[in-house]
Amino acid sequence: MINLKDNSKINKMSSTARTTTLSTTEKVTLSLKKRHQKERRFKNVGLFAVLFGFMLVVVLISDITAKALPAFHQHWVKIDMDYKANWLNIDGSSKQSILAKQMKKANYRSALKKSLYLMFPTPSGKSLSRKDKRQLFKLFSSNAEFTLKDTLITTPEHLNKQISVWVRLDDDVDSYLKEGFASGEAGLRLSKQQAQWIKQLASAQRIESRFNFSFFTASDSREPELAGIRGALTGTLLTLFVTLLLSFPLGVAGALYLEEFAPKNRWTDFIEININNLAAVPSIVFGLLGLAIIINIFGLPRSAPLVGGIVLTLMTLPTIIISSRAAIKAVPPSIREAALGLGASKMQVTFSHVLPQATPGIITGAIIGIAQALGETAPLLMIGMVAFIVDVPTSIVDSATVLPVQIFLWADSPERAFLAKTSAAILVLLTLLLVINLTATVLRSKFEKK
Amino acid sequence: MKNLDIKQVELTETVGNIYADSAKMSIRNADVYYGSKQAIHNVSLDLAKNQVTALIGPSGCGKSTFLRCLNRMNDTIDICNITGEFTLDNQDIYAKNLDPVLLRARVGMVFQKPNPFPKSIYDNVAYGARIHGLTNNKAELDEVVETSLQKAGLFNEVKDRLKDPGTGLSGGQQQRLCIARTIAVSPEIILMDEPASALDPIATAIIEELIDELKEKYTIAIVTHSMQQAARVSQHTAYFHLGKLVEMGKTEDIFTHPKHKLTENYITGRFG
């Protein structure tokens, strides 16, 4: 062994002298330091890459979560509602059955307005100006009259009584309460008078922040305080259901045929190249194909999860086929030979040995494909899933939208409250992705154990 | 030691005796091509019934290729092209109306590397009987599994853990499991492709003993690289060289009085 400190001296020696005079041990020792340095450098670069990626994810998730949090609660206000029969345009003396019918058609809006004017008397005792009236009414969600209606229909004995009812505040007020209220600044969208009213209500303990259940139970709406993701979530699940139902069996069958049964000739090479190319086709092209063929020629309904599922199947199929083929190829040939040697038919070899062994890999591929489909927007825009749909779809032929499209729509909306909704919808989408991936991991480890 | 240029030796005829008194399987004028490359040149021989025939020769001489022709395992290789006459009990095994599935049920195979299925020991042995529908109920299947494992000399070692995965056994046990799996189908011929090449001497001895017992019921063809093994277990020996059958005869004749120069060189260890 030579002393490493002498390296510099030895390095200065001519190369020919080194090669002729140094033993292998000495030469290796000389190069060791450099090699270790290289290794350390590479390790550091790798570590940096991992940390950088991790940091980006943390920043992304925390940013979205911070932005999304306001969407999960909203402010309600307690108003003193006068269910006066003549305000509601109800004949209080009618029979019970007729009364119920009248309650459904009653004019709650005017009754609400009149109740509100009573709640906010002007200091001089005069009635509010037209402008103030309009501004006062705007503080409350357009949904308030329906809340009042539901309350009266479930408890008809409230008729002709003054009752405290909790209703939603308008989204601008909600945003003001969440952001600007503490600092005392009047929000951009609220007048000084409106801010004053809100302060009044808050000091009277009439305003309450509640968990926003309707975000998960309601569908899209023009009013941000009413908009929810249930419609988009259901649409996504229905679309993915169709996609999985079509692409998984087709993809696995295609991969099995190409790997195990197809003769190896020019045709199969041609098909393989085409499948690989298909995986790289921009997804919007599949959307155009869906519009031109599935909707215009086959006449399937537009905006439907069925069509969305078929289009996404076209997109995921190559992914599933390619990864399934790789998984099938990885099954050791010795297993196939063993089964063939026992007299198993090709079908038996495939289904009792190749497929079970390839299943974990196939599932991984399918999940990657489905996750891709989950986040896909462009092809669905082409087939009309971008429409404003208020109803929750109940079948695969109902009009629907999907989560990424919903996010796109909300991100495009001018109302400030949709900002939080957008982030909240992204969180839901990411959660869904996480659930799908977890399921895949559980399934895979289950199959691997077998 | 003489350095031999093996390519210059004329190999037009096989010397010795290729014929058996009671042939279970007969091969005449077999040629095998992989694409344009010829792997087997005009090989003819008989496999004697209830006897062990050893196929020996240097690596790459076509022994394994030849063995795999006997149960049509080469069918799975697209570029493999086989001509010649292969008969089992005077039936052409390459006849168009003969299903390779049926052939392989009659001609079993044990491979060089132990290749148990990633399933339980029981399922490994039961698989063949199951796919061919050889048993009518669970009790019969249990019986087949037990007797097959017994014949392979493995039963006592694994009887308490039949549900354990077959891949968890030792190499020698795995190979015996593969033999048990082959026996469970009750084939008439067992082809063995270097069955002991991956095993230690003790496991090899067990397998060799087993082969000796198995020949009472089965006709066996075994490819081996070990001359001692060929001498110990076989009654007939065929020496292959560069895809040609150089010499065939009774094992004791081949090992004591080889007729061909190449055979002599090989078995005395001068090359190969």
Side-chain angles (χ1 to χ4, degrees):
Chain A
M1 284 286 281
I2 58 160
N3 192 344
L4 283 174
K5 279 178 188 164
D6 295 339
N7 275 358
S8 51
K9 263 187 216 166
I10 296 165
N11 280 338
K12 277 174 197 155
M13 290 159 69
S14 74
S15 58
T16 45
R18 248 194 300 172
T19 46
T20 49
T21 56
L22 296 183
S23 74
T24 305
T25 317
E26 285 165 335
K27 279 191 225 164
V28 171
T29 317
L30 272 178
S31 68
L32 263 185
K33 197 177 166 191
K34 226 176 183 179
R35 283 196 254 171
H36 285 314
Q37 253 174 5
K38 259 188 192 168
E39 197 178 306
R40 256 198 310 277
R41 222 178 301 141
F42 182 75
K43 262 183 4 200
N44 288 339
V45 169
L47 189 68
F48 172 76
V50 170
L51 285 180
F52 184 71
F54 184 71
M55 197 189 69
L56 284 184
V57 170
V58 168
V59 167
L60 178 81
I61 300 275
S62 51
D63 179 58
I64 289 173
T65 311
K67 278 188 184 146
L69 281 179
F72 291 112
H73 65 98
Q74 69 183 165
H75 289 92
W76 290 61
V77 62
K78 189 167 75 174
I79 54 170
D80 298 330
M81 178 65 189
D82 255 326
Y83 281 116
K84 277 189 184 144
N86 55 336
W87 284 3
L88 288 163
N89 211 1
I90 290 177
D91 181 6
S93 58
S94 352
K95 267 189 271 171
Q96 204 72 30
S97 55
I98 297 172
L99 211 57
K101 245 182 223 168
Q102 284 180 330
M103 279 178 185
K104 277 183 191 161
K105 287 181 189 164
N107 190 348
Y108 292 93
R109 180 187 287 242
S110 110
L112 170 64
K113 279 181 181 166
K114 283 170 184 159
S115 302
L116 289 177
Y117 305 152
L118 278 185
M119 275 178 75
F120 296 96
T122 49
S124 55
K126 272 192 256 165
S127 64
L128 294 160
S129 69
R130 271 177 71 96
K131 188 184 157 213
D132 283 350
K133 276 181 178 174
R134 206 166 52 236
Q135 284 200 340
L136 177 63
F137 187 62
K138 263 193 181 166
L139 290 180
F140 303 90
S141 166
S142 61
N143 180 254
E145 54 183 289
F146 298 104
T147 313
L148 296 172
K149 176 181 168 184
D150 291 344
T151 312
L152 187 63
I153 287 172
T154 48
T155 48
E157 58 272 19
H158 286 345
L159 192 63
N160 283 324
K161 284 179 196 157
Q162 198 192 48
I163 303 291
S164 294
V165 184
W166 286 95
V167 297
R168 286 185 186 82
L169 281 166
D170 187 64
D171 60 295
D172 286 331
V173 181
D174 196 43
S175 301
Y176 168 64
L177 284 168
K178 280 169 185 165
E179 291 159 26
F181 186 59
S183 59
E185 274 174 59
L188 286 173
R189 314 258 315 159
L190 292 189
S191 69
K192 278 210 175 104
Q193 176 63 63
Q194 282 177 314
Q196 177 62 35
W197 281 326
I198 293 299
K199 216 170 271 177
Q200 217 176 309
L201 284 169
S203 57
Q205 308 282 316
R206 279 171 178 273
I207 292 180
E208 192 179 281
S209 174
R210 296 184 182 177
F211 184 76
N212 187 1
F213 284 106
S214 62
F215 182 68
F216 298 101
T217 56
S219 266
D220 197 9
S221 167
R222 291 284 182 228
E223 305 298 331
E225 75 271 17
L226 300 175
I229 50 149
R230 183 152 165 224
L233 192 62
T234 316
T236 287
L237 292 178
L238 286 172
T239 309
L240 285 190
F241 173 73
V242 174
T243 309
L244 194 65
L245 207 67
L246 290 175
S247 65
F248 189 69
L250 281 178
V252 174
L256 278 177
Y257 175 76
L258 285 174
E259 273 307 311
E260 299 288 319
F261 295 95
K264 301 270 174 289
N265 57 24
R266 235 180 292 163
W267 278 108
T268 40
D269 287 347
F270 179 71
I271 289 172
E272 188 174 342
I273 291 168
N274 274 291
I275 289 173
N276 292 346
N277 282 339
L278 216 55
V281 169
S283 55
I284 197 154
V285 176
F286 291 114
L288 278 170
L289 185 80
L291 177 65
I293 292 177
I294 300 166
I295 292 180
N296 287 351
I297 295 182
F298 292 112
L300 291 180
R302 59 186 66 225
S303 307
L306 176 64
V307 181
I310 294 172
V311 168
L312 292 181
T313 297
L314 293 175
M315 213 195 73
T316 38
L317 203 55
T319 313
I320 294 184
I321 290 181
I322 291 169
S323 59
S324 298
R325 286 187 70 175
I328 291 164
K329 231 179 226 161
V331 175
S334 67
I335 297 293
R336 290 191 186 86
E337 291 208 317
L340 280 176
L342 284 175
S345 66
K346 209 147 195 184
M347 188 85 175
Q348 285 164 332
V349 174
T350 305
F351 281 91
S352 54
H353 298 291
V354 175
L355 196 56
Q357 288 240 64
T359 303
I362 290 175
I363 288 180
T364 310
I367 291 302
I368 292 172
I370 289 297
Q372 229 180 345
L374 175 66
E376 203 52 69
T377 322
L380 301 181
L381 300 184
M382 302 304 299
I383 56 154
M385 289 189 95
V386 70
F388 173 73
I389 291 147
V390 182
D391 293 321
V392 176
T394 52
S395 77
I396 53 170
V397 288
D398 283 353
S399 287
T401 188
V402 291
L403 275 173
V405 176
Q406 185 72 74
I407 291 167
F408 167 74
L409 285 173
W410 281 350
D412 227 20
S413 301
E415 287 88 349
R416 195 172 164 68
F418 274 127
L419 191 72
K421 299 262 170 193
T422 308
S423 296
I426 291 173
L427 266 195
V428 171
L429 184 65
L430 289 179
T431 311
L432 194 60
L433 197 69
L434 201 71
V435 169
I436 290 177
N437 277 338
L438 275 181
T439 319
T441 317
V442 169
L443 276 178
R444 201 167 51 201
S445 62
K446 206 179 137 198
F447 279 109
E448 266 168 358
K449 258 177 217 152
K450 275 183 187 172
Chain B
M1 209 184 276
K2 185 167 61 169
N3 211 345
L4 228 127
D5 190 356
I6 42 183
K7 274 178 192 159
Q8 284 178 359
V9 179
E10 266 309 298
L11 285 176
T12 47
E13 290 279 320
T14 304
V15 297
N17 177 25
I18 61 159
Y19 305 106
D21 295 336
S22 56
K24 181 74 186 166
M25 204 168 203
S26 302
I27 297 93
R28 296 292 176 264
N29 305 110
D31 285 318
V32 180
Y33 299 85
Y34 288 118
S36 58
K37 188 177 159 279
Q38 190 166 8
I40 300 282
H41 300 260
N42 195 22
V43 169
S44 305
L45 61 81
D46 284 349
L47 296 183
K49 195 171 180 176
N50 289 0
Q51 294 195 319
V52 180
T53 306
L55 311 180
I56 60 171
S59 290
C61 69
K63 320 178 286 285
S64 293
T65 300
F66 181 72
L67 197 72
R68 288 166 62 93
C69 292
L70 304 185
N71 69 344
R72 294 182 60 173
M73 282 301 279
N74 283 337
D75 286 15
T76 54
I77 302 166
D78 285 334
I79 55 163
C80 186
N81 196 4
I82 300 159
T83 59
E85 228 175 81
F86 295 75
T87 56
L88 170 62
D89 289 337
N90 294 323
Q91 263 183 301
D92 181 9
I93 65 170
Y94 280 90
K96 274 219 174 81
N97 56 5
L98 187 115
D99 194 328
V101 168
L102 174 65
L103 174 71
R104 289 178 197 141
R106 294 177 66 189
V107 185
M109 190 158 197
V110 177
F111 296 86
Q112 181 172 2
K113 251 176 72 187
N115 54 355
F117 301 129
K119 295 172 187 277
S120 72
I121 294 171
Y122 183 94
D123 286 338
N124 258 287
V125 182
Y127 182 70
R130 272 193 189 132
I131 56 169
H132 295 305
L134 300 181
T135 54
N136 299 317
N137 52 45
K138 180 89 172 65
E140 273 182 53
L141 191 63
D142 288 347
E143 173 82 21
V144 166
V145 171
E146 190 182 327
T147 50
S148 306
L149 282 169
Q150 259 161 358
K151 276 189 209 156
L154 191 63
F155 187 69
N156 287 331
E157 289 163 57
V158 299
K159 64 183 170 200
D160 301 323
R161 46 182 178 137
L162 289 174
K163 292 272 167 283
D164 288 5
T167 42
L169 297 172
S170 76
Q173 287 173 326
Q174 283 189 14
Q175 195 60 299
R176 278 182 281 151
L177 178 63
C178 293
I179 293 173
R181 183 174 68 184
T182 309
I183 296 171
V185 186
S186 310
E188 294 156 42
I189 299 176
I190 300 178
L191 308 174
M192 296 184 170
D193 191 354
E194 299 180 47
S197 69
L199 306 183
D200 68 57
I202 297 167
T204 306
I206 297 173
I207 301 269
E208 283 178 9
E209 245 170 72
L210 183 60
I211 293 170
D212 214 44
E213 286 164 27
L214 289 177
K215 76 165 193 286
E216 306 294 326
K217 263 196 89 178
Y218 309 99
T219 301
I220 296 174
I222 177 170
V223 166
T224 176
H225 271 298
S226 157
M227 245 76 68
Q228 291 90 332
Q229 189 173 68
R232 280 194 298 265
V233 301
S234 70
Q235 285 74 52
H236 302 274
T237 298
Y239 174 66
F240 281 74
H241 190 95
L242 293 177
K244 290 168 189 174
L245 178 57
V246 176
E247 182 169 354
M248 185 168 177
K250 287 214 158 60
T251 300
E252 63 259 35
D253 293 342
I254 296 266
F255 281 94
T256 50
H257 310 291
K259 293 194 179 77
H260 201 286
K261 192 75 191 149
L262 279 169
T263 320
E264 193 188 331
N265 286 336
Y266 184 72
I267 62 171
T268 52
R270 250 170 242 160
F271 74 88

